[in-house]
Amino acid sequence: MSRVLYILVLIGAGLFYLLYSDSLSFVLLVALLILPVMLLAQLIISAVFLKCSVKSSRITAFKGEPCEAAFTVTNNSVFPLPNTAIRIKAVCCPSGDVSYSTVTVPIPALRTETVTVTLGSEHCSRVDITAEYVKIFDLLRLFSVKRFRKKLHCSVYIIPKLRESFASEARDILRLPAPEAPSETSTVPSCGGYPGDVCGYREFMQGDRLSLMHYKLSARFDKDIVKVLSRNSDRRFFLTADLSDNDLSRRDAVFERLMSVAYYLSSENGEVYVAVPDEPESFEILEIMRSEGTAAKLKDGADYFAAARLLCGRYFHDDKSPDGLIKVKLD
């Protein structure tokens, strides 16, 4: 529209000059002819000094909570950019839904502005956001220049919230029987049960804590007797679940159960591994075990977030368990 209006004004100035050949009509016509050249030169200079970046390439949010992806646009030139448009493409995985939006923001000279995109999802997913381009216009919107074509990317991971209702299930898993009997050469018996429970007694050995001493039994048998506490440090659990359900609500429920049980099992000093996709380039934080299947070890909250990010963006089903792990499948 602005171009059409400018052409009409230019034609009117030309007719005015033909009808009234004086200095005023001449100056007006020349100014209108020079103006586009000046605006184009200003736009090119601004485009050269324009900088754009993503604040964070990896954003994590809980399901049902809004989150923001931010792009920073810096105008390092002395010319203002009143019309700067960012065309954004968002692809939701694993559903494959695609949406487009355009955000327009004015950027004064020598200033930095932040453009935010607010996202929310009813389901656990990964949203891949790409800035298709950053488009700048001159003051009259006669010309435009596109920069940073598909060079700005970030991913938003919508992960499940922890549910305390699954804490008891994690404790039940800790009570599972050990997969192997203790070695005959072992001098310290191994037993299952909740970590810290008393599961037996034996004679005192050098290095035992005095707090484990059972004084009544020691006096009865006239020898030092200590308590044996259940422990699971020699037992490793491999949790897996079928996340290939096309119904995203059912998939979310299974995903939530898987991650909650894994978290609470880890918080109870269990050595926990979760089946994850075999994508080595994504393993920036997690400790990974590879033996037939691929398992990620959860040691703390950071591992929980990293494992959830790997799983939330795809349908995943894996029944292969690495050797030496107690397999627990959660449906």
Side-chain angles (χ1 to χ4, degrees), residues 297-314:
K297 184 176 182 180
L298 269 63
K299 295 177 292 186
D300 52 29
D303 287 344
Y304 171 84
F305 283 101
R309 284 195 295 261
L310 286 177
L311 289 168
C312 73
R314 58 179 295 170

Side-chain angles (χ1 to χ4, degrees), residues 101-310:
S101 60
T102 302
V103 180
T104 303
V105 59
I107 308 176
L110 304 175
R111 288 280 299 276
T112 298
E113 296 292 336
T114 300
V115 179
T116 59
V117 181
T118 303
L119 299 169
S121 177
E122 298 180 356
H123 301 287
C124 299
S125 60
R126 186 188 76 239
V127 182
D128 294 326
I129 298 176
T130 303
E132 295 277 280
Y133 54 78
V134 178
K135 191 175 185 179
I136 60 175
F137 299 86
D138 60 84
L139 292 173
L140 298 182
R141 297 181 69 92
L142 298 179
F143 306 101
S144 63
V145 175
K146 291 182 179 180
R147 295 287 314 279
F148 308 101
R149 293 175 182 266
K150 298 183 179 180
K151 292 183 179 180
L152 304 172
H153 308 272
C154 69
S155 295
V156 178
Y157 298 86
I158 312 297
I159 66 175
K161 294 181 179 179
L162 293 172
R163 297 295 180 188
E164 292 186 5
S165 57
F166 294 111
S168 58
E169 186 173 353
R171 297 189 187 100
D172 292 338
I173 292 174
L174 281 173
R175 294 188 176 95
L176 291 175
E180 297 179 358
S183 173
E184 296 179 358
T185 60
S186 175
T187 58
V188 180
S190 175
C191 54
Y194 189 73
D197 290 345
V198 177
C199 63
Y201 304 92
R202 60 171 173 81
E203 286 191 46
F204 178 84
M205 298 174 59
Q206 187 174 3
D208 286 338
R209 291 177 296 166
L210 293 178
S211 60
L212 297 178
M213 187 74 69
H214 195 292
Y215 294 100
K216 289 184 178 181
L217 289 179
S218 298
R220 187 178 194 183
F221 293 101
D222 196 23
K223 57 177 68 175
D224 294 332
I225 303 295
V226 295
K227 305 170 190 176
V228 177
L229 304 181
S230 64
R231 52 195 173 85
N232 62 297
S233 59
D234 57 343
R235 299 166 63 201
R236 300 178 297 171
F237 298 94
F238 174 75
L239 304 185
T240 184
D242 187 357
L243 300 180
S244 60
D245 201 318
N246 290 325
D247 187 322
L248 295 182
S249 296
R250 289 199 298 264
R251 177 180 179 272
D252 287 349
V254 175
F255 191 15
E256 186 176 82
R257 182 185 178 198
L258 171 67
M259 298 309 301
S260 295
V261 170
Y263 176 83
Y264 287 111
L265 189 59
S266 176
S267 66
E268 297 288 352
N269 299 319
E271 187 171 344
V272 184
Y273 291 81
V274 175
V276 293
D278 192 6
E279 298 177 352
E281 66 276 5
S282 300
F283 302 145
E284 299 175 1
I285 301 176
L286 289 169
E287 178 182 338
I288 301 302
M289 171 183 287
R290 292 185 181 86
S291 175
E292 294 184 3
T294 305
K297 184 176 182 180
L298 269 63
K299 295 177 292 186
D300 52 29
D303 287 344
Y304 171 84
F305 283 101
R309 284 195 295 261
L310 286 177

Side-chain angles (χ1 to χ4, degrees), residues 42-51 76-77 136 145 147:
Q42 174 189 333
L43 186 63
I44 294 174
I45 294 173
S46 299
V48 171
F49 288 95
L50 187 71
K51 304 295 180 184
N76 290 324
S77 71
I136 60 175
V145 175
R147 295 287 314 279

